[in-house]
């Protein structure tokens, strides 16, 4: 029986919906506390997009070299040592895929509360469960569900940008300020810590590489999906943040999570901004769905090679890793009870940055004659740039947010202990 495979459009839809989630609607409030200049704020988003694009190039090469679903797990296990691959799956299970699902579900209830509803954690849990049920049947149903909600997401975001550009600034003075102070701001530690929120908003640029075995003609379709996804998202992010700044005062945005609401209430009035909230909440369904889809495939790839995880390898007759989907669902739900939004946000971003640094470094092990897109030594400049930025971000987050960073490092340490425990579970090895 031939199993349904997805084309580049569904793969690009996955990339877009995994990237556009809570990050772009929440990070500006944290950035504007320290960075007042519009050039420095927008350059954060440009740098984030540039790094994601470099990452997409590198992952296309890694995916065509290894030809196996599982992304970081495969690249790190095969290049360095199984402990690194194991760690990447451990991090992804708890932080990489489950935390963004919890954050998206929590943000959903927050945005819907502008209707005067008092939705809390119960609603967030119900949403995760509904998406998990849709994911559990067949690839065909999963991709239809994913595509419909991604199209909704894209139309809505383009509408937001259109409305924001069409209307003249509604507050005075607004938060847009293009003076020369941005050169000093680029040197601030806060610029580096703001970059970690931005890289979180771009997490997901690598998502299609995790399911290479489910993609039709992956050599051609994977790079196409990654590049189209990343470029679309970068342009969108820069425009969206400009629109948020244009229609709000700096003071009203500082430290706030619902920046879209604050900004659009000034254009549409409090009565109509509720619909913006409603659509932000709706577009987060595609985010939850995308992370659940990709995360379960990564855990399944690990389950095939590790004893403690092996129960997650089982598939239904449509080749859907149902158990892995429900393990991710359970973890996401339990994370909802584990702390406040910004704390989860910071340690998640930090740990994912470390993971991305490790995964990208495997690119130096691709031989020149294995390259398929940039077939020259110039290719190795890309991971070098990525790693330089990545280490710079990690260093400053560790200095500025030691508590959250140490919590993140604790999750990594626990993963190492479990790996060695797991290895002793294999008498037949």
């Amino acid at each position: 029986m031939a199993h349904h495979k997805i084309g580049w459009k569904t793969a690009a839809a996955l990339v877009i919906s995994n990237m556009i989630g809570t990050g772009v609607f929440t990070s500006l409030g944290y950035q504007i506390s320290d960075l007042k200049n519009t050039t420095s704020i927008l350059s954060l988003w440009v740098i984030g997009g540039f790094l994601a694009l470099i990452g997409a190039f590198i992952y296309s090469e890694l995916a065509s070299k290894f030809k196996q679903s599982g992304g970081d797990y495969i690249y790190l296990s095969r290049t360095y040592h199984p402990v690194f691959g194991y760690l990447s799956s451990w991090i992804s299970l708890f932080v990489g895929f489950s935390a963004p699902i919890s954050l998206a579900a929590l943000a959903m209830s927050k945005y819907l509360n502008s209707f005067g509803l008092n939705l809390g954690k119960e609603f967030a849990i119900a949403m995760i469960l509904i998406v998990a049920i849709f994911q559990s049947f067949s690839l065909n149903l999963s991709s239809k569900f994913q595509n419909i909600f991604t199209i909704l997401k894209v139309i809505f975001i383009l509408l937001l940008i259109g409305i924001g550009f069409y209307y003249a600034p509604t507050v005075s003075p607004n938060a847009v300020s293009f003076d020369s102070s941005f050169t000093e701001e680029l040197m601030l530690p806060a610029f580096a810590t703001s970059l970690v929120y931005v890289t979180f908003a771009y997490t997901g640029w690598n998502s299609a590489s995790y399911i290479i075995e489910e993609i039709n003609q992956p050599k051609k379709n994977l790079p196409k999906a990654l590049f189209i996804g990343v470029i679309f998202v970068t342009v969108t992010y820069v425009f969206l943040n400009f629109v948020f700044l244009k229609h709000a005062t700096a003071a009203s945005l500082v430290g706030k999570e619902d920046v879209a609401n604050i900004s659009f209430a000034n254009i549409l009035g409090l009565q109509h901004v509720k619909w913006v909230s409603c659509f932000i909440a709706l577009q987060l369904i595609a985010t939850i769905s995308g992370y659940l889809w990709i995360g379960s495939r990564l855990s399944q790839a690990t389950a095939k090679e590790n004893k403690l995880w092996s129960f997650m390898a089982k598939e239904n007759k449509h080749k859907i890793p149902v158990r892995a989907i429900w393990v991710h669902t359970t973890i996401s739900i339990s994370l909802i009870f584990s702390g406040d939004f910004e704390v989860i946000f910071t340690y998640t971003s930090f740990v994912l940055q470390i993971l991305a640094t490790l995964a990208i470094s495997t690119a130096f092990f691709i031989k020149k004659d294995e390259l398929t897109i940039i077939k020259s030594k110039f290719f190795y400049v890309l991971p070098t740039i990525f790693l330089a930025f990545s280490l710079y971000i990690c260093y400053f987050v560790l200095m500025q947010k030691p508590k959250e960073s140490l919590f993140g490092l604790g999750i990594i340490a626990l993963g190492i202990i479990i790996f060695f425990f797991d290895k002793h579970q294999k008498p037949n090895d």
Side-chain angles (χ1 to χ4, degrees):
M1 175 184 170
H3 284 286
H4 179 77
K5 284 202 170 193
I6 61 174
W8 71 266
K9 287 176 188 152
T10 299
L14 257 175
V15 173
I16 291 168
S17 53
N18 265 12
M19 286 170 80
I20 303 178
T22 43
V24 69
F25 294 108
T26 45
S27 352
L28 182 63
Y30 305 137
Q31 293 161 8
I32 203 164
S33 310
D34 303 291
L35 308 174
K36 303 298 180 203
N37 192 294
T38 305
T39 311
S40 23
I41 289 173
L42 296 183
S43 51
L44 282 170
W45 293 96
V46 174
I47 292 169
F50 175 62
L51 290 177
L53 199 58
I54 289 180
F57 258 113
I58 293 169
Y59 267 64
S60 299
E61 293 291 3
L62 286 166
S64 68
K65 177 183 173 176
F66 290 105
K67 299 181 183 61
Q68 237 180 314
S69 287
D72 299 352
Y73 172 74
I74 299 293
Y75 312 152
L76 289 165
S77 296
R78 307 289 185 267
T79 306
Y80 292 129
H81 183 276
V83 70
F84 288 104
Y86 196 90
L87 266 183
S88 78
S89 298
W90 166 255
I91 290 167
S92 299
L93 181 63
F94 278 93
V95 182
F97 291 95
S98 304
I101 291 171
S102 321
L103 288 172
L106 283 170
M108 235 178 129
S109 47
K110 208 168 233 164
Y111 273 103
L112 287 175
N113 284 343
S114 61
F115 280 92
L117 306 165
N118 193 13
L119 301 171
K121 295 181 169 169
E122 300 73 26
F123 173 80
I125 292 166
M127 275 327 299
I128 296 174
L129 290 172
I130 290 167
V131 174
I133 290 166
F134 268 95
Q135 287 275 340
S136 298
F137 293 102
S138 71
L139 198 57
N140 201 0
L141 183 68
S142 303
S143 32
K144 277 186 182 143
F145 184 83
Q146 191 66 44
N147 289 346
I148 289 165
F149 279 100
T150 305
I151 289 164
L152 259 176
K153 181 192 284 261
V154 169
I155 292 169
F156 160 66
I157 282 171
L158 295 177
L159 252 173
L160 273 191
I161 293 171
I163 293 169
F165 273 97
Y166 177 75
Y167 282 97
T170 39
V171 289
S172 180
N174 64 8
V176 175
S177 105
F178 286 110
D179 56 20
S180 59
S181 68
F182 81 92
T183 45
E184 292 140 42
E185 290 195 348
L186 295 181
M187 297 302 138
L188 292 174
F191 188 81
T193 35
S194 293
L195 254 179
V196 81
Y197 294 128
V198 168
T199 50
F200 178 80
Y202 279 102
T203 324
W205 51 261
N206 52 358
S207 47
S209 68
Y210 289 107
I211 52 163
I212 187 166
E213 291 170 40
E214 289 179 10
I215 298 175
N216 208 358
Q217 296 179 297
K219 230 171 189 153
K220 188 179 82 185
N221 286 333
L222 179 67
K224 197 172 177 181
L226 289 175
F227 300 151
I228 289 171
V230 170
I231 290 165
F232 173 79
V233 171
T234 306
V235 174
T236 306
Y237 279 180
V238 172
F239 283 165
L240 259 183
N241 279 285
F242 179 74
V243 164
F244 294 157
L245 292 167
K246 178 181 166 185
H247 294 286
T249 61
S252 67
L253 295 171
V254 172
K256 295 289 192 298
E257 278 156 22
D258 49 349
V259 286
N261 265 6
I262 295 165
S263 190
F264 277 82
N266 293 328
I267 310 176
L268 305 170
L270 285 170
Q271 206 38 47
H272 298 296
V273 80
K274 291 175 180 172
W275 293 105
V276 173
S277 307
C278 177
F279 273 100
I280 290 178
L282 266 180
Q283 65 88 26
L284 287 169
I285 293 175
T287 307
I288 295 170
S289 167
Y291 274 105
L292 202 51
W293 182 338
I294 304 290
S296 57
R297 282 10 179 226
L298 181 59
S299 295
Q300 184 195 22
T302 314
K304 288 175 179 168
E305 303 187 1
N306 294 279
K307 197 85 169 173
L308 280 179
W309 298 56
S310 57
F311 72 96
M312 281 195 274
K314 208 170 163 48
E315 299 174 331
N316 69 7
K317 63 175 195 287
H318 296 295
K319 293 237 181 283
I320 300 289
V322 181
R323 285 184 184 175
I325 287 173
W326 285 94
V327 170
H328 276 268
T329 304
T330 310
I331 292 170
S332 304
I333 289 171
S334 55
L335 281 178
I336 285 182
F337 297 102
S338 82
D340 108 353
F341 194 92
E342 193 181 355
V343 176
I344 302 177
F345 201 43
T346 308
Y347 74 69
T348 301
S349 310
F350 177 66
V351 173
L352 290 180
Q353 199 60 46
I354 293 176
L355 183 57
T357 310
L358 274 173
I360 290 288
S361 68
T362 61
F364 292 111
F365 295 87
I366 302 177
K367 296 189 181 73
K368 195 168 150 238
D369 56 3
E370 291 176 317
L371 294 169
T372 56
I373 304 168
I374 304 177
K375 299 176 182 173
S376 78
K377 284 197 173 121
F378 173 72
F379 170 78
Y380 302 103
V381 175
L382 299 179
T384 311
I385 296 171
F386 191 100
L387 294 185
F389 266 105
S390 218
L391 293 169
Y392 156 79
I393 295 169
C394 289
Y395 169 76
F396 279 108
V397 177
L398 195 56
M399 294 298 113
Q400 303 274 306
K401 309 259 182 186
K403 205 167 74 209
E404 291 91 332
S405 307
L406 288 172
F407 185 75
L409 292 172
I411 295 175
I412 296 176
L414 188 58
I416 296 173
I417 294 165
I418 290 175
F419 168 79
F420 287 107
F421 176 73
D422 198 340
K423 281 296 152 255
H424 291 293
Q425 302 294 307
K426 283 192 167 178
N428 54 353
D429 219 26

